[in-house]
Amino acid sequence: MTATSVETPAAAPTRTPQTLGVIELPDTVRDSIGKALAAEPDPLAGIDRAMARYHQIFAGLPVDTLQRILDFGRHNDAPGVGYVRNLPVDPELPATPSGGGPAGGKPTFVAEGVLLGLSGLLGEPVGFLTEKSGQLVHDVIPVEGGAMSQTNQGSTVFLNFHNDIVHDAIGRYDVSNPDFLVLSCLRADHDGVAATHYADARDIVRALDSRTLELLRSPLFRLNAPGSYVRDMAGGREVLSDPVAMISGPEEFPEISSSANGVRAMTTAAEAALDRLQAACRETAHQVHLRPGEALLINNRKGLHARTPFTARYDGADRWLQRTYVRRSQWTIRYRQTPENRRVHY
Ligand SMILES: O=C(O)CCC(=O)C(=O)O
Ligand SMILES: [Fe+2]
């Protein structure tokens, strides 16, 4: 961040940056979990049964690894992002689906098992009708018509630092949204350049001056609803939240929320604070180039994520991630539950 203020940083200078927790599976464990997952049917045919089976399979992780993933999900002071490597992959991977998925005719469901198995260690996968039609396994794939969009369909533009929010009639988009995202890579982009960034709010706060932080902690911002909602439900028009703060909560455990699809600052000072926030994110972010057999565990409240530009060819060999939205509890979002499916919400 360029120094535009003479004020001292608000946070204690002794606080050390959050580390990127890297978890690498031993080859033997990768192979035994992969073999077990390859024998399982499509999880979406019976999701609760599948989640129970994945619990059994992932119980075969070395106990230290298992504890690290569980700790990631359960502790306030855990890092905001975890990078899991050397996961099993499908023996055969079909072409990257066009139009944003879902993938049809996948002969095995190892990738789905990895995604849902990791998700089950953090909470429960949930869906929202306004995001990928309520599916529990999201395909994150570049879509030609959305290349420039601030959504997961994009490619040629930098996807701004954001967390995944959901439109909600209560006027807040940062309440019923997922606690965690799991992003798992099935196929990298052609040039191998797409990077997922994660900026932890604890590091962001350290990088900001106290006046900027005070502004970001004030309800001076209105989040635009996600691009998918604006596109599909509002004819492209902005659908703004009630005024909210960008950063909230105790100094030691800040929560942060920002819309990829635009934030309206209500004053010029607040507007400048938003620019500084994006700069602080760029300055402090961890960066990962996801490859097949790798996944990111993303805490969706402790930090913001972003994606760098890449070139899509729409040739069946484009970048392909699978994603879940995970809640630790569905109780507090029961006002949105659909009658047809207890994991799917309006
Ligand atoms: O493509 C990526 O690396 C991240 C995309 C993203 O923000 C998301 O899927 O929520
Ligand atoms: Fe996202």
Side-chain angles (χ1 to χ4, degrees), residues 33 37 43-44 47 51 54 58 69 87-88 90 106 109-125 135-140 180-186 290 294-297 320-326:
I33 288 184
L37 292 177
L44 300 177
I47 185 68
M51 292 304 291
Y54 295 146
F58 276 74
I69 299 174
L87 290 156
D90 286 290
K106 210 164 160 285
F109 301 93
V110 175
E112 288 76 3
V114 163
L115 181 77
L116 292 167
L118 292 171
S119 301
L121 300 177
L122 306 179
E124 293 297 338
Q135 291 166 60
L136 299 177
V137 173
H138 301 169
D139 294 290
V140 173
F180 299 94
L181 275 54
V182 180
L183 287 178
S184 171
C185 181
L186 283 70
L290 278 172
E294 297 184 351
L296 274 181
L297 313 177
W320 182 5
L321 308 184
Q322 286 183 339
R323 180 181 73 184
T324 46
Y325 278 177
V326 177

Side-chain angles (χ1 to χ4, degrees), residues 162 164 181 305:
H162 68 281
D164 282 35
L181 275 54
H305 59 280

Side-chain angles (χ1 to χ4, degrees), residues 134-156:
Q135 291 166 60
L136 299 177
V137 173
H138 301 169
D139 294 290
V140 173
I141 291 168
V143 176
E144 199 154 9
M148 304 281 287
S149 72
Q150 284 292 323
T151 71
N152 67 76
Q153 299 186 347
S155 52
T156 49

Side-chain angles (χ1 to χ4, degrees), residues 234-247:
R237 280 187 312 279
E238 279 191 334
V239 186
L240 298 177
S241 72
D242 290 346
V244 289
M246 305 296 293
I247 297 174

